[in-house]
Amino acid sequence: MFIREVIDPKAHVNIAKNKALKENAFMMIVCIENRIPLFVVGKPGSSKSLSKSMVLDAMKGDQSKSNLFRQLKMVVADFNILT
């Protein structure tokens, strides 16, 4: 359900909707809405960064393209990179 709303057909032309992308995006959305910390861990190429950027693009509050995400919280990208 969420993956259809997260993927913008114009911006994300050649992206495969695989299981890892769907799971990562779903868990990110659920955890953001419920203010639950989430660590996304996986092998390289398992859609971690892609799902994060897609969720950030989708969850813009009242400015979201999707009616579903207009009802949800607005996400502001304020990530600190730990080295």
Side-chain angles (χ1 to χ4, degrees):
M1 174 179 138
F2 286 121
I3 199 67
R4 284 187 228 119
E5 301 293 328
V6 170
I7 293 180
D8 182 14
K10 296 173 186 166
H12 308 118
V13 179
N14 295 322
I15 294 176
K17 299 174 201 164
N18 60 13
K19 186 177 179 181
L21 179 68
K22 292 176 186 178
E23 287 177 355
N24 290 340
F26 176 76
M27 288 307 301
M28 287 179 190
I29 293 166
V30 169
C31 289
I32 289 168
E33 273 302 300
N34 293 306
R35 298 183 55 90
I36 299 171
L38 174 69
F39 288 97
V40 182
V41 180
K43 296 179 181 178
S46 60
S47 303
K48 298 179 300 291
S49 297
L50 177 62
S51 58
K52 178 197 67 104
S53 63
M54 293 173 81
V55 168
L56 282 174
D57 289 341
M59 295 186 76
K60 294 183 179 177
D62 293 335
Q63 291 84 31
S64 295
K65 296 177 185 175
S66 168
N67 288 331
L68 172 68
F69 289 113
R70 285 189 198 123
Q71 301 170 8
L72 301 179
K73 295 178 181 175
M74 181 177 180
V75 177
V76 178
D78 185 22
F79 293 100
N80 295 325
I81 305 298
L82 300 176
T83 54

